[in-house]
Amino acid sequence: MSSTTTDQMDGLPVVSKLYLSASCPELKAESVISDFSDTEEILSEIERVVTPPIQEEQEEFIIESTSLPSPIPLSRIGLPTTATAGLAIPTALPSSSPLSSRRSLEWQFKGLTVWLELEEFDNDLTRAVEYFSSKHNSPFIPQSHTTAIYGMEHLSIEEARARLRTVRDLIPQWPTFAKPTGITSDIAQCGRPGQVCDIAWSELTLATNPQHEAALDILYELFYGSVYHRDRPWKPHNSVAYDNPETNHLSLLDTIMYASQNPSLLGMERRVAAIALWSTVGKMGDWECLERVRFID
């Protein structure tokens, strides 16, 4: 989907890529940060910005400015004065609906994948994954994660497991992630830059830095050798929900409201608790954890 920058609309805070379409009325956007703190003010402002009438002959239109109304200004989130990490690798929380009754993710994935598993505060990431899956009856992500390498097909499982076991010799502790820069809720299409599947998702958007880039280079060299290619800069994120584009029930507003009620999601720096090797061959329901190395004991 192409877009062009427009001048700031009178009376509106700046908005980053707000899309509406007749075929997909769910809101999709990137980089949610603003100066609003009152929930009622936010809801009325979002309704004013993103719900103009859609003309029948107009399949799609774009409202674009430079910021987005949000109830979660990062500078005003009230955080606890002390915070203790919960389980580094939390177990799944009780579900309000059976996993078997939820939609499956239809995309066929590939290869071996390396995930970073972030530390949690009172299981906040795992709770978010369960909340959105249960609420929308959408596919359940088996482990909260930030993808480092996706879809390796040049190594056997045993070769990849052996290499992962040496990772702490090269990277004793993965650099800490700063507080998320915002929230993204969107639909990916395979073939677009940086997109390897057709999927709807909502995420906590993270930031890279030179230390992260250096650690990722070491990881790629460990698995690929001295000659490898990867996208630069890295665009790390921690997804909290997936869905199929055709049945997508995820929305930016829903994600914003949940984050505003759970401020640790956007308000905490996070260490990397573990690095894990997964088989991501087939659909998400087929994924299997093969090996895990903990950074935090």
Side-chain angles (χ1 to χ4, degrees):
M1 183 182 301
S2 61
S3 62
T4 56
T5 303
T6 61
D7 294 333
Q8 182 171 348
M9 301 173 69
D10 184 36
L12 290 182
V14 240
V15 178
S16 172
K17 293 183 182 176
L18 281 179
Y19 302 96
L20 293 173
S21 71
S23 61
C24 183
E26 290 294 338
L27 174 64
K28 296 170 285 181
E30 295 180 351
S31 299
V32 182
I33 301 176
S34 81
D35 293 324
F36 288 86
S37 58
D38 183 80
T39 300
E40 291 185 0
E41 179 184 1
I42 291 306
L43 293 176
S44 62
E45 191 66 19
I46 288 179
E47 182 178 5
R48 184 170 73 89
V49 173
V50 303
T51 54
I54 299 177
Q55 300 176 8
E56 290 184 1
E57 68 275 12
Q58 183 180 25
E59 290 186 359
E60 188 177 72
F61 63 90
I62 299 175
I63 303 174
E64 188 167 343
S65 184
T66 54
S67 128
L68 176 65
S70 161
I72 42 175
L74 302 187
S75 61
R76 300 184 191 176
I77 292 178
L79 297 177
T81 55
T82 60
T84 302
L87 294 175
I89 308 298
T91 56
L93 300 175
S95 303
S96 58
S97 62
L99 296 183
S100 60
S101 70
R102 304 182 193 182
R103 291 188 301 281
S104 63
L105 200 61
E106 295 304 315
W107 184 260
Q108 293 281 344
F109 295 86
K110 68 177 185 179
L112 300 174
T113 295
V114 179
W115 289 349
L116 304 179
E117 299 177 359
L118 306 187
E119 71 174 325
E120 302 203 24
F121 301 93
D122 193 26
N123 287 335
D124 54 350
L125 297 174
T126 300
R127 290 180 185 277
V129 168
E130 166 55 26
Y131 170 83
F132 288 108
S133 177
S134 178
K135 176 177 181 179
H136 299 299
N137 202 38
S138 58
F140 181 75
I141 301 173
Q143 169 68 51
S144 172
H145 64 274
T146 295
T147 300
I149 300 176
Y150 166 72
M152 296 182 293
E153 296 181 303
H154 65 291
L155 296 173
S156 69
I157 289 176
E158 288 308 314
E159 287 173 330
R161 292 176 69 179
R163 296 189 188 197
L164 187 74
R165 291 174 188 143
T166 69
V167 71
R168 289 193 64 175
D169 296 335
L170 303 172
I171 310 172
Q173 175 63 59
W174 196 280
T176 297
F177 283 97
K179 299 175 184 178
T181 59
I183 290 170
T184 300
S185 187
D186 207 345
I187 295 180
Q189 292 184 2
C190 185
R192 287 181 174 177
Q195 298 181 353
V196 297
C197 59
D198 293 349
I199 189 175
W201 87 99
S202 294
E203 71 174 46
L204 306 180
T205 306
L206 304 171
T208 188
N209 60 32
Q211 292 72 37
H212 285 296
E213 296 294 329
L216 194 59
D217 281 336
I218 292 171
L219 193 66
Y220 265 81
E221 188 166 346
L222 173 62
F223 283 96
Y224 283 96
S226 59
V227 179
Y228 61 86
H229 169 77
R230 70 173 181 88
D231 292 337
R232 298 176 187 272
W234 186 28
K235 296 181 179 179
H237 61 274
N238 200 103
S239 294
V240 295
Y242 291 155
D243 208 342
N244 300 297
E246 302 80 9
T247 58
N248 180 33
H249 289 168
L250 307 179
S251 73
L252 177 63
L253 177 58
D254 195 23
T255 314
I256 289 173
M257 296 307 297
Y258 183 84
S260 71
Q261 296 161 7
N262 296 271
S264 66
L265 291 174
L266 291 177
M268 306 301 290
E269 296 182 349
R270 294 180 193 266
R271 297 173 296 173
V272 175
I275 186 168
L277 176 70
W278 283 68
S279 169
T280 49
V281 175
K283 296 182 181 180
M284 187 168 66
D286 301 319
W287 292 358
E288 179 184 1
C289 182
L290 303 172
E291 191 81 20
R292 176 178 284 119
V293 174
R294 297 178 185 270
F295 289 116
I296 301 175
D297 296 324

